[in-house]
């Protein structure tokens, strides 16, 4: 069975063709294209948007290039959305979650709904760009809107004409009741968001519909089913975590963002989870993704972009080699600090953060990249240990999936920092999870997550890193003494 997986990340997108059957799981890249924010001037200042029409165009080209496929599924980053009017037309390009329009919005919402109540209902981590806060920031434009569609659901709507919201992504909005597995309509209304905006919910693996007739004719793909997968890319990536049955594993879906957590059967909604700022997102097959968002490789990507913009481009492989030779844990920063969220001059921000915490700033490119990678591994250590403490479940192994699995220095340092083995791979975890959920929906013998993960272990290249040394506790204490992290 050959299937098309549309996997959209915050900095790039791809259309992949996966083949599943008879113990086989292959993935072929059909089309890759850049993604990112587009800043557009307006009367009240510039707004950072997504070029969603460009993404849709690339999706169609990639789907055409994929040849004969039995189905297509779409996954993407979370929280962002498009608004449709009563005629089903898009009310402007979606706004990027890194835009500043939500500055201060959370505080205004909390005056009506305390954070503890929000967490008790939604189980969601407090982040300034949560969909709830984005919708509140829309203001009067909500009056013209009839439905809110998250990015994969919007693209699926344009393919099929069917309106809905897949659960794994809906659960990231801070508008979803994680215990009842329904929209939290009352909470939405109290925040000033009309409940009519929230579309019917779908299960991962549910058929959305088939291509609209004009698209089917244009692409030469009659009756092609569009399947709702784990449409939050992390939900699809967690499907492809190659965990052995019975192991106490943590996962890190490492890309522009890093999602660090555990797979649970029930949400964790107690005071400890709230204080640790963890999130409870719905996974495939009713699992709970108990995790924390960590800033991820965004800071490294922006560092390379900054150097290039200043006329001194740097090759990633070269600076990682220089970082590996640089002193370990010489300087560390809290990459989850607000100043690292928006685009900008990351080297200058890292220098300033080091000075504020009484550390000598990095002087060379290798030292600066080592600071980033050490700081990211330290953030992983903190999140893994807090997840284990909150749930009372020890962690025996950490699985790193996604683009970060290619980064040997990061994987080695993660094993050192967490004090347990790291298994790195697969790299294209989100696309593989997308394909596996589609394949099951269309008849493949993959009855559960265990069967899917067994196929991943048997077919995908994986690398194991044993824990080594490093005084990670001292580095963590250094930030704590400086008041940088709790």
């Amino acid at each position: 069975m050959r299937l098309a997986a549309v996997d959209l990340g915050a900095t790039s997108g791809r259309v992949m063709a996966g083949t599943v059957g008879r113990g086989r799981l292959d993935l072929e890249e059909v089309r890759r294209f850049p993604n990112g924010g587009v800043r557009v001037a307006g009367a009240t200042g510039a707004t950072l948007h997504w070029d969603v029409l460009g993404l849709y165009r690339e999706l169609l080209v990639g789907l055409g290039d994929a040849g004969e496929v039995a189905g297509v599924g779409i996954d993407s980053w979370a929280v962002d959305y498009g608004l449709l009017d009563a005629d089903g037309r898009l009310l402007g390009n979606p706004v990027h979650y890194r835009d500043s329009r939500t500055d201060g919005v959370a505080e205004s919402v909390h005056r009506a709904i305390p954070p503890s109540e929000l967490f008790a209902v939604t189980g969601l981590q407090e982040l300034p760009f949560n969909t709830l806060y984005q919708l509140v920031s829309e203001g009067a434009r909500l009056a013209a809107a009839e439905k809110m569609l998250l990015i994969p659901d919007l693209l699926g709507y344009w393919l099929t004409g069917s309106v809905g919201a897949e659960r794994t992504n809906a659960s990231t909005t801070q508008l979803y009741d994680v215990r009842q597995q329904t929209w939290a309509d009352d909470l939405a209304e109290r925040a000033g968001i009309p409940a009519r905006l929230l579309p019917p919910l779908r299960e991962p693996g549910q058929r959305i519909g088939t291509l609209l007739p004009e698209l089917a004719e244009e692409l030469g793909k009659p009756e092609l089913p569009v399947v709702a997968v784990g449409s939050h890319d992390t939900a699809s990536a967690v499907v492809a975590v190659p965990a052995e049955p019975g192991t106490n594993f943590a996962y890190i879906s490492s890309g522009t963002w890093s999602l660090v957590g555990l797979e649970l059967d029930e949400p964790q909604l107690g005071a400890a989870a709230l204080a640790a700022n963890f999130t409870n997102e719905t996974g495939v097959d009713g699992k709970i993704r108990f995790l924390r968002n960590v800033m991820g490789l965004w800071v490294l990507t922006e560092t390379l972009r900054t150097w290039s913009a200043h006329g001194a481009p740097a090759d990633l492989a070269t600076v990682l080699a220089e970082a590996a030779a640089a002193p370990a844990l010489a300087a560390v920063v809290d990459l989850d600090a607000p100043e690292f969220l928006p685009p900008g001059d990351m080297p200058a921000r890292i220098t300033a953060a080091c000075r504020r915490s009484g550390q000598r700033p990095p002087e060379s490119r290798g030292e600066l990249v080592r600071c980033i990678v050490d700081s990211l591994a330290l953030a992983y250590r903190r999140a893994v240990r807090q997840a284990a403490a909150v749930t009372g479940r020890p962690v025996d192994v950490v699985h790193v999936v996604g683009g970060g699995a290619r980064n040997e220095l990061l994987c080695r340092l993660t094993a050192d920092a967490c004090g347990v083995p790291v298994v790195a791979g697969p790299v294209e975890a989100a696309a593989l999870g997308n394909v596996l959920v589609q394949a099951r929906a269309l008849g493949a013998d993959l009855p559960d997550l265990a069967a899917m993960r067994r196929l991943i272990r048997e077919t995908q290249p994986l690398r194991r890193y044993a824990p080594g040394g490093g005084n990670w506790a001292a580095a963590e204490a250094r930030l704590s003494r400086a008041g940088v992290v709790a």
Side-chain angles (χ1 to χ4, degrees):
M1 186 187 305
R2 182 176 164 91
L3 302 156
V6 180
D7 177 31
L8 303 176
T11 57
S12 69
R14 59 207 63 80
V15 178
M16 312 289 282
T19 302
V20 185
R22 297 182 180 178
R24 176 184 175 190
L25 176 58
D26 297 330
L27 204 59
E28 168 197 348
E29 184 177 296
V30 174
R31 186 172 184 84
R32 183 176 289 263
F33 43 90
N35 191 22
V38 181
R39 200 168 292 280
V40 180
T44 59
T47 301
L48 194 63
H49 288 276
W50 295 104
D51 180 13
V52 73
L53 298 179
L55 292 177
Y56 181 58
R57 179 186 62 244
E58 294 287 355
L59 181 163
L60 293 177
V61 173
L63 191 53
D65 291 347
E68 186 174 344
V69 290
V72 57
I74 306 168
D75 67 79
S76 86
W77 70 96
V79 306
D80 289 335
Y81 57 86
L83 293 175
L84 302 183
D85 68 13
D87 294 321
R89 291 188 294 251
L90 183 66
L91 292 169
N93 264 340
V95 178
H96 196 299
Y97 62 84
R98 293 190 193 273
D99 185 74
S100 62
R101 68 174 178 160
T102 57
D103 291 354
V105 172
E107 290 80 359
S108 68
V109 171
H110 294 165
R111 286 193 286 271
I113 311 171
S116 57
E117 185 179 350
L118 277 173
F119 186 78
V121 175
T122 69
L124 212 68
Q125 178 181 1
E126 275 294 328
L127 293 167
F129 48 74
N130 286 342
T131 311
L132 167 63
Y133 304 135
Q134 291 200 51
L135 285 168
V136 170
S137 74
E138 294 278 1
R141 198 163 75 128
L142 287 186
E146 186 66 25
K147 283 288 180 286
M148 180 273 299
L149 294 183
L150 297 163
I151 297 299
D153 300 319
L154 176 63
L155 297 172
Y157 164 69
W158 284 338
L159 290 178
T160 66
S162 178
V163 170
E166 188 276 321
R167 287 185 187 278
T168 69
N169 219 7
S171 72
T172 71
T173 61
Q174 214 170 19
L175 293 163
Y176 182 84
D177 188 321
V178 71
R179 285 176 296 189
Q180 300 300 320
Q181 298 283 293
T182 61
W183 289 117
D185 290 348
D186 178 65
L187 185 150
E189 294 282 359
R190 288 170 59 196
I193 300 167
R196 71 170 186 276
L197 294 179
L198 307 175
L201 290 162
R202 296 178 176 133
E203 304 293 337
Q206 182 177 331
R207 294 195 191 198
I208 297 173
T210 56
L211 291 185
L212 291 168
E214 58 269 28
L215 286 176
E217 182 177 357
E218 175 187 337
L219 297 173
K221 298 184 187 319
E223 300 300 315
L224 179 67
V226 180
V227 178
V229 294
S231 67
H232 183 199
D233 51 11
T234 307
S236 279
V238 171
V239 168
V241 168
E244 295 275 0
T247 56
N248 290 322
F249 70 93
Y251 58 81
I252 302 173
S253 181
S254 178
T256 301
W257 284 92
S258 290
L259 297 310
V260 185
L262 310 177
E263 184 176 73
L264 304 178
D265 293 325
E266 300 290 340
Q268 297 286 311
L269 301 173
L274 173 61
N277 203 23
F278 270 74
T279 201
N280 294 268
E281 297 171 357
T282 298
V284 172
D285 288 359
K287 295 294 186 180
I288 294 294
R289 294 175 286 132
F290 182 67
L291 60 87
R292 179 190 289 149
N293 287 263
V294 173
M295 195 66 75
L297 293 167
W298 159 254
V299 177
L300 179 56
T301 302
E302 272 294 281
T303 294
L304 297 179
R305 187 198 62 77
T306 298
W307 286 336
S308 181
H310 285 82
D315 174 72
L316 177 60
T318 299
V319 295
L320 284 173
E322 292 170 355
L329 298 169
V332 288
V333 299
D334 178 16
L335 293 180
D336 290 325
E339 64 261 31
F340 296 115
L341 178 62
D345 188 342
M346 295 300 176
R349 294 174 190 174
I350 288 169
T351 296
C354 287
R355 286 180 175 147
R356 284 196 303 272
S357 58
Q359 302 175 91
R360 181 183 68 83
E363 294 180 354
S364 68
R365 290 188 176 190
E367 287 181 357
L368 191 135
V369 172
R370 182 58 183 252
C371 173
I372 293 171
V373 180
D374 278 348
S375 299
L376 189 51
L378 194 63
Y380 290 169
R381 166 192 167 95
R382 193 161 55 247
V384 167
R385 291 191 168 204
Q386 287 182 330
V390 170
T391 61
R393 196 180 87 177
V395 171
D396 303 326
V397 61
V398 173
H399 286 273
V400 177
V401 299
R406 289 195 187 100
N407 191 322
E408 293 185 14
L409 177 61
L410 176 59
C411 292
R412 175 169 60 79
L413 294 179
T414 299
D416 294 347
C418 294
V420 296
V422 162
V423 176
V427 172
E428 296 288 0
L432 287 165
N434 180 321
V435 165
L436 288 169
V437 172
Q438 280 192 73
R440 180 173 66 176
L442 298 173
D445 184 20
L446 295 166
D448 52 25
L449 290 171
M452 296 180 188
R453 289 169 176 162
R454 182 171 60 252
L455 188 57
I456 293 285
R457 290 195 303 275
E458 292 171 350
T459 60
Q460 303 304 306
L462 307 173
R463 184 166 180 180
R464 188 178 181 89
Y465 297 83
N471 200 343
W472 295 91
E476 202 163 50
R478 194 190 316 160
L479 290 183
S480 181
R481 284 195 301 271
V484 176
V485 297

